[in-house]
Amino acid sequence: VQLPAFGGGLVQAGGSLRLSCAASGRTFSSYTMGWFRQAPGKEREFVAAITRSGSTRYADSVKGRVTISRDNAKNTVYLQMNSQKPEDAAVYYCAADSSPGRMGSLLKFYEYWGHGTQVTVSS
């Protein structure tokens, strides 16, 4: 099972970035998919989640600036990030939860994790 995240990079404050995670190894169309992030010296934290039917949940810190979406035919989940702030800088991780309908914000709910992608925000 692979959940590689792509699309990270350097973005100016106020700018936008789109992350993607193309799952392979199994079909994740029935899974809840989540994005998490971890900044240096901080714990990994929840960013957003989307169920197989498209219901979404966001952390308060990103609500209104971030949109999670998925393309089940491509086994891919996206994270569109707008109005980036310096505090958004982190390594972003894609994760999968096999429990249908759950949109958990806790790491323990997600069985599968991918390697992260670095997002750097310049002020």
Side-chain angles (χ1 to χ4, degrees):
V1 175
Q2 302 287 334
L3 291 172
F6 301 96
L10 175 65
V11 62
Q12 287 188 332
S16 298
L17 211 58
R18 189 195 196 201
L19 307 183
S20 62
C21 172
S24 62
R26 66 173 58 212
T27 299
F28 284 90
S29 58
S30 63
Y31 285 40
T32 288
M33 301 299 293
W35 285 97
F36 289 76
R37 68 186 181 186
Q38 187 168 17
K42 296 187 177 181
E43 295 185 350
R44 194 170 297 188
E45 64 176 7
F46 171 76
V47 177
I50 185 169
T51 66
R52 64 179 178 178
S53 62
S55 297
T56 58
R57 177 182 180 182
Y58 297 95
D60 288 342
S61 58
V62 302
K63 201 171 294 183
R65 301 187 296 116
V66 165
T67 302
I68 187 172
S69 61
R70 66 190 298 165
D71 184 335
N72 288 333
K74 296 182 178 180
N75 231 18
T76 299
V77 62
Y78 305 96
L79 189 70
Q80 177 67 42
M81 304 189 295
N82 301 324
S83 303
Q84 288 288 279
K85 303 177 180 180
E87 52 263 41
D88 292 321
V91 176
Y92 283 72
Y93 298 89
C94 175
D97 174 6
S98 63
S99 181
R102 181 168 63 192
M103 288 188 287
S105 62
L106 301 179
L107 277 67
K108 67 180 182 179
F109 293 135
Y110 294 82
E111 300 102 310
Y112 303 101
W113 291 84
H115 295 292
T117 185
Q118 176 73 52
V119 172
T120 303
V121 183
S122 63
S123 57

